[in-house]
Amino acid sequence: MVDDKFYVLLDEARGTAEGTLNLNFNITEGSDAQVVLDEQEGGFHTEFADGNNLLVRTATGKTASQFKSMEGFVSYQTDTSSERQAYQINVEKAASDDVVRFATLLLPTADASAEECAMSIEAETSGATVRVTVGGKTYKLTYTL
């Protein structure tokens, strides 16, 4: 949790394998008006009337990524499931790429449409720096392995 306001998750794929990497998200239940996919921004946001909303954005360390809408499922009872929205972020990993990173911002908010945010990943040999801008303030998050 950053500044008691939002979360940043960092996923890494390391190794010499090559191919398409998928980061998958199953979204909460709700109508299309309540749960809105934001393909151009790489995420989604919710618009629940009670003001308990979430803005989600994913950035990758690669310049080209693909957003793919999918059908997800949720099950609260054995042998019974319901549809819900899902999506994945795909990037191509070459064998020469030591690591590919995905950074995901989870921003609880009353009004997701009023939020402005940006995120970038700066790769380093033994770690990374993620820069996140929320509400006009930029946070520099770093780690070293």
Side-chain angles (χ1 to χ4, degrees):
M1 182 170 223
V2 179
D3 206 18
D4 288 330
K5 295 179 184 174
F6 60 90
Y7 297 88
V8 175
L9 308 175
L10 186 67
D11 293 287
E12 293 187 339
R14 294 182 172 271
T16 57
E18 62 183 34
T20 304
L21 297 174
N22 315 111
L23 187 64
N24 295 285
F25 296 87
N26 285 292
I27 306 173
T28 189
E29 296 170 274
S31 69
D32 288 348
Q34 294 171 315
V35 180
V36 181
L37 292 177
D38 300 318
E39 183 174 339
Q40 298 302 318
E41 291 85 15
F44 77 96
H45 70 276
T46 60
E47 294 185 2
F48 295 114
D50 65 2
N52 289 306
N53 290 299
L54 183 65
L55 175 82
V56 177
R57 298 287 185 262
T58 299
T60 68
K62 305 278 277 182
T63 55
S65 64
Q66 176 196 26
F67 182 98
K68 181 180 177 186
S69 177
M70 301 174 55
E71 185 176 289
F73 296 93
V74 62
S75 178
Y76 298 109
Q77 195 173 12
T78 305
D79 299 328
T80 304
S81 63
S82 301
E83 292 180 16
R84 67 176 176 181
Q85 293 186 69
Y87 68 94
Q88 65 182 204
I89 304 288
N90 300 320
V91 297
E92 292 300 317
K93 182 185 176 302
S96 60
D97 295 333
D98 292 331
V99 62
V100 174
R101 295 178 177 92
F102 299 86
T104 302
L105 168 69
L106 305 170
L107 176 62
T109 180
D111 183 5
S113 63
E115 298 291 346
E116 292 186 26
C117 61
M119 192 167 35
S120 66
I121 303 172
E122 299 167 13
E124 299 169 14
T125 305
S126 60
T129 298
V130 179
R131 293 187 190 277
V132 181
T133 302
V134 173
K137 183 175 179 182
T138 300
Y139 300 84
K140 180 181 175 183
L141 311 172
T142 62
Y143 79 96
T144 304
L145 295 177

